[in-house]
């Protein structure tokens, strides 16, 4: 495991972190640091790049995965409501990881990346990637973006059966 420290975390979104980690993108998991894993849903020996996704309801401005009948991601939209959303956990095979590394480097050279997320790069390259949506239970991972999210997690864990 390699942890990447972004000393500009308070200036830029996670795009800059992925720029720092770009050389590690081939055959690797990417896990956002603001996640709490309630269960281990990571898989061994994945062949295809994979977004792990949970079906959530009542969300605001989340990245929703749209797929074909084979669970291949065909679009990613930012929506309110309910659906299968990004959970901050993905796997990138060697081919797709190398393609994303190049795309990240090209985007970095342009500058003005303070308002984008690394998932914007994936979205821009989506037609060149084969990403599978792997569904996980809604309570397998919790994203903690606020004190309210942390309080919700605490309550959920408090009521979890042993």
């Amino acid at each position: 495991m390699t942890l990447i420290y972004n000393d500009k975390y308070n200036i830029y979104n996670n795009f800059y972190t992925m720029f720092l980690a770009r050389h590690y993108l081939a055959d690797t998991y990417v896990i956002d640091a603001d996640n709490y894993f309630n269960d281990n849903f990571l898989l061994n020996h994945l062949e295809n790049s994979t977004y792990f996704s949970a079906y959530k309801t009542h969300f605001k401005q989340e990245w929703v995965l749209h797929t074909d009948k084979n669970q291949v991601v065909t679009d990613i939209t930012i929506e309110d409501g309910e659906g299968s959303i990004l959970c901050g956990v993905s796997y990138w095979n060697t081919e797709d990881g190398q393609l994303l590394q190049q795309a990240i480097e090209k985007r970095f050279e342009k500058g003005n990346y303070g308002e984008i997320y690394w998932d914007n790069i994936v979205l821009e390259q989506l037609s060149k990637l084969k990403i599978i949506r792997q569904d996980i239970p809604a309570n397998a991972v919790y994203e903690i973006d606020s004190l309210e999210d942390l309080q919700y997690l605490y309550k959920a864990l408090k009521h979890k059966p042993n």
Side-chain angles (χ1 to χ4, degrees):
M1 176 175 22
T2 301
L3 298 176
I4 305 294
Y5 177 68
N6 175 359
D7 63 345
K8 295 176 175 59
Y9 71 91
N10 59 337
I11 301 170
Y12 303 118
N13 285 326
N14 67 3
F15 170 79
Y16 186 72
T17 302
M18 291 309 294
F19 173 76
L20 296 175
R22 69 194 182 279
H23 298 295
Y24 299 98
L25 273 176
D27 188 28
T28 193
Y29 273 95
V30 173
I31 301 173
D32 292 354
D34 61 353
N35 284 344
Y36 176 86
F37 280 40
N38 198 31
D39 293 311
N40 180 5
F41 53 82
L42 302 179
L43 302 172
N44 292 324
H45 312 296
L46 289 169
E47 293 181 21
N48 294 304
S49 295
T50 303
Y51 266 132
F52 291 81
S53 175
Y55 192 89
K56 302 276 186 169
T57 60
H58 309 302
F59 58 73
K60 300 235 184 268
Q61 296 299 286
E62 289 287 352
W63 296 64
V64 178
L65 295 172
H66 303 274
T67 63
D68 65 16
K69 64 181 178 167
N70 297 316
Q71 296 295 81
V72 175
V73 177
T74 56
D75 197 11
I76 305 170
T77 56
I78 299 173
E79 302 177 19
D80 296 339
E82 64 180 78
S84 295
I85 65 170
L86 294 182
C87 289
V89 181
S90 56
Y91 168 81
W92 302 98
N93 66 20
T94 300
E95 181 181 343
D96 292 343
Q98 290 171 347
L99 185 145
L100 289 170
Q101 176 184 341
Q102 293 169 3
I104 288 168
E105 289 170 349
K106 286 179 184 174
R107 183 61 181 89
F108 183 81
E109 289 172 6
K110 291 181 181 178
N112 193 25
Y113 45 80
E115 296 299 317
I116 66 168
Y117 293 94
W118 108 270
D119 297 298
N120 291 105
I121 304 304
V122 175
L123 183 56
E124 291 168 5
Q125 301 298 317
L126 192 57
S127 66
K128 301 174 188 171
L129 302 167
K130 181 181 180 184
I131 307 169
I132 303 298
R133 184 183 79 200
Q134 176 66 46
D135 293 324
I136 60 174
N139 65 348
V141 63
Y142 294 87
E143 183 179 18
I144 305 169
D145 286 333
S146 65
L147 181 58
E148 292 79 23
D149 290 345
L150 184 60
Q151 290 168 336
Y152 179 82
L153 172 61
Y154 177 74
K155 288 177 187 175
L157 294 176
K158 190 175 179 181
H159 293 97
K160 179 182 174 184
N162 293 334

mmCIF file of all heavy atoms in Angstrom, residues 1-6 17 20-21 24 29 31-33:
data_model
loop_
_atom_site.group_PDB
_atom_site.id
_atom_site.type_symbol
_atom_site.label_atom_id
_atom_site.label_comp_id
_atom_site.label_asym_id
_atom_site.label_seq_id
_atom_site.Cartn_x
_atom_site.Cartn_y
_atom_site.Cartn_z
ATOM 1 N N MET A 1 0.853 -1.163 0.000
ATOM 2 C CA MET A 1 0.000 0.000 0.000
ATOM 3 C C MET A 1 0.902 1.229 0.000
ATOM 4 O O MET A 1 1.906 1.280 0.706
ATOM 5 C CB MET A 1 -0.896 0.012 1.232
ATOM 6 C CG MET A 1 -1.706 1.262 1.283
ATOM 7 S SD MET A 1 -2.970 1.473 2.572
ATOM 8 C CE MET A 1 -2.569 0.413 3.855
ATOM 9 N N THR A 2 0.505 2.214 -0.781
ATOM 10 C CA THR A 2 1.219 3.475 -0.836
ATOM 11 C C THR A 2 0.241 4.596 -0.515
ATOM 12 O O THR A 2 -0.798 4.718 -1.164
ATOM 13 C CB THR A 2 1.818 3.711 -2.240
ATOM 14 O OG1 THR A 2 2.700 2.626 -2.548
ATOM 15 C CG2 THR A 2 2.581 5.018 -2.298
ATOM 16 N N LEU A 3 0.562 5.378 0.487
ATOM 17 C CA LEU A 3 -0.236 6.553 0.830
ATOM 18 C C LEU A 3 0.410 7.768 0.198
ATOM 19 O O LEU A 3 1.632 7.936 0.267
ATOM 20 C CB LEU A 3 -0.324 6.735 2.345
ATOM 21 C CG LEU A 3 -0.987 5.609 3.119
ATOM 22 C CD1 LEU A 3 -0.919 5.892 4.620
ATOM 23 C CD2 LEU A 3 -2.432 5.434 2.687
ATOM 24 N N ILE A 4 -0.401 8.587 -0.425
ATOM 25 C CA ILE A 4 0.077 9.800 -1.077
ATOM 26 C C ILE A 4 -0.368 10.993 -0.247
ATOM 27 O O ILE A 4 -1.563 11.159 0.011
ATOM 28 C CB ILE A 4 -0.484 9.928 -2.510
ATOM 29 C CG1 ILE A 4 -0.161 8.686 -3.349
ATOM 30 C CG2 ILE A 4 0.002 11.208 -3.170
ATOM 31 C CD1 ILE A 4 1.297 8.468 -3.633
ATOM 32 N N TYR A 5 0.576 11.825 0.169
ATOM 33 C CA TYR A 5 0.249 13.026 0.921
ATOM 34 C C TYR A 5 0.203 14.215 -0.033
ATOM 35 O O TYR A 5 1.159 14.492 -0.748
ATOM 36 C CB TYR A 5 1.274 13.277 2.030
ATOM 37 C CG TYR A 5 1.009 14.559 2.784
ATOM 38 C CD1 TYR A 5 -0.114 14.681 3.600
ATOM 39 C CD2 TYR A 5 1.854 15.646 2.651
ATOM 40 C CE1 TYR A 5 -0.375 15.852 4.273
ATOM 41 C CE2 TYR A 5 1.590 16.830 3.330
ATOM 42 C CZ TYR A 5 0.474 16.928 4.138
ATOM 43 O OH TYR A 5 0.216 18.089 4.794
ATOM 44 N N ASN A 6 -0.905 14.907 -0.023
ATOM 45 C CA ASN A 6 -1.098 16.097 -0.845
ATOM 46 C C ASN A 6 -1.007 17.311 0.072
ATOM 47 O O ASN A 6 -1.942 17.606 0.816
ATOM 48 C CB ASN A 6 -2.466 16.022 -1.532
ATOM 49 C CG ASN A 6 -2.793 17.275 -2.299
ATOM 50 O OD1 ASN A 6 -2.026 18.234 -2.327
ATOM 51 N ND2 ASN A 6 -3.951 17.276 -2.927
ATOM 52 N N THR A 17 -4.163 15.397 -6.062
ATOM 53 C CA THR A 17 -3.708 14.177 -5.400
ATOM 54 C C THR A 17 -3.462 13.093 -6.444
ATOM 55 O O THR A 17 -2.458 12.373 -6.390
ATOM 56 C CB THR A 17 -4.739 13.688 -4.365
ATOM 57 O OG1 THR A 17 -4.955 14.718 -3.407
ATOM 58 C CG2 THR A 17 -4.261 12.425 -3.671
ATOM 59 N N LEU A 20 -0.274 13.579 -8.208
ATOM 60 C CA LEU A 20 0.855 13.086 -7.416
ATOM 61 C C LEU A 20 0.953 11.563 -7.459
ATOM 62 O O LEU A 20 2.049 11.000 -7.388
ATOM 63 C CB LEU A 20 0.717 13.546 -5.965
ATOM 64 C CG LEU A 20 0.771 15.059 -5.721
ATOM 65 C CD1 LEU A 20 0.489 15.357 -4.259
ATOM 66 C CD2 LEU A 20 2.104 15.635 -6.161
ATOM 67 N N ALA A 21 -0.181 10.885 -7.588
ATOM 68 C CA ALA A 21 -0.223 9.416 -7.562
ATOM 69 C C ALA A 21 -0.257 8.788 -8.952
ATOM 70 O O ALA A 21 -0.358 7.568 -9.069
ATOM 71 C CB ALA A 21 -1.459 8.963 -6.782
ATOM 72 N N TYR A 24 1.216 5.402 -10.085
ATOM 73 C CA TYR A 24 0.754 4.189 -9.410
ATOM 74 C C TYR A 24 -0.583 3.683 -9.957
ATOM 75 O O TYR A 24 -1.153 2.757 -9.407
ATOM 76 C CB TYR A 24 0.598 4.445 -7.903
ATOM 77 C CG TYR A 24 1.868 4.830 -7.210
ATOM 78 C CD1 TYR A 24 2.162 6.164 -6.962
ATOM 79 C CD2 TYR A 24 2.779 3.865 -6.800
ATOM 80 C CE1 TYR A 24 3.341 6.519 -6.318
ATOM 81 C CE2 TYR A 24 3.956 4.210 -6.152
ATOM 82 C CZ TYR A 24 4.225 5.546 -5.920
ATOM 83 O OH TYR A 24 5.382 5.893 -5.282
ATOM 84 N N TYR A 29 -5.887 -0.246 -6.861
ATOM 85 C CA TYR A 29 -7.098 0.329 -6.284
ATOM 86 C C TYR A 29 -6.847 1.793 -5.963
ATOM 87 O O TYR A 29 -5.739 2.160 -5.544
ATOM 88 C CB TYR A 29 -7.474 -0.377 -4.984
ATOM 89 C CG TYR A 29 -8.323 -1.602 -5.157
ATOM 90 C CD1 TYR A 29 -7.753 -2.859 -5.225
ATOM 91 C CD2 TYR A 29 -9.704 -1.501 -5.259
ATOM 92 C CE1 TYR A 29 -8.531 -3.991 -5.385
ATOM 93 C CE2 TYR A 29 -10.491 -2.629 -5.418
ATOM 94 C CZ TYR A 29 -9.899 -3.865 -5.480
ATOM 95 O OH TYR A 29 -10.676 -4.980 -5.642
ATOM 96 N N ILE A 31 -8.664 4.530 -3.437
ATOM 97 C CA ILE A 31 -9.661 4.640 -2.371
ATOM 98 C C ILE A 31 -9.581 6.040 -1.788
ATOM 99 O O ILE A 31 -8.524 6.463 -1.303
ATOM 100 C CB ILE A 31 -9.409 3.587 -1.272
ATOM 101 C CG1 ILE A 31 -9.457 2.178 -1.877
ATOM 102 C CG2 ILE A 31 -10.429 3.742 -0.142
ATOM 103 C CD1 ILE A 31 -9.049 1.073 -0.924
ATOM 104 N N ASP A 32 -10.688 6.774 -1.854
ATOM 105 C CA ASP A 32 -10.731 8.117 -1.293
ATOM 106 C C ASP A 32 -10.519 8.051 0.219
ATOM 107 O O ASP A 32 -11.002 7.131 0.894
ATOM 108 C CB ASP A 32 -12.077 8.785 -1.582
ATOM 109 C CG ASP A 32 -12.268 9.093 -3.054
ATOM 110 O OD1 ASP A 32 -11.325 8.892 -3.849
ATOM 111 O OD2 ASP A 32 -13.374 9.537 -3.412
ATOM 112 N N ALA A 33 -9.835 9.040 0.741
ATOM 113 C CA ALA A 33 -9.490 9.045 2.168
ATOM 114 C C ALA A 33 -10.669 9.369 3.077
ATOM 115 O O ALA A 33 -10.596 9.140 4.278
ATOM 116 C CB ALA A 33 -8.357 10.045 2.420
#
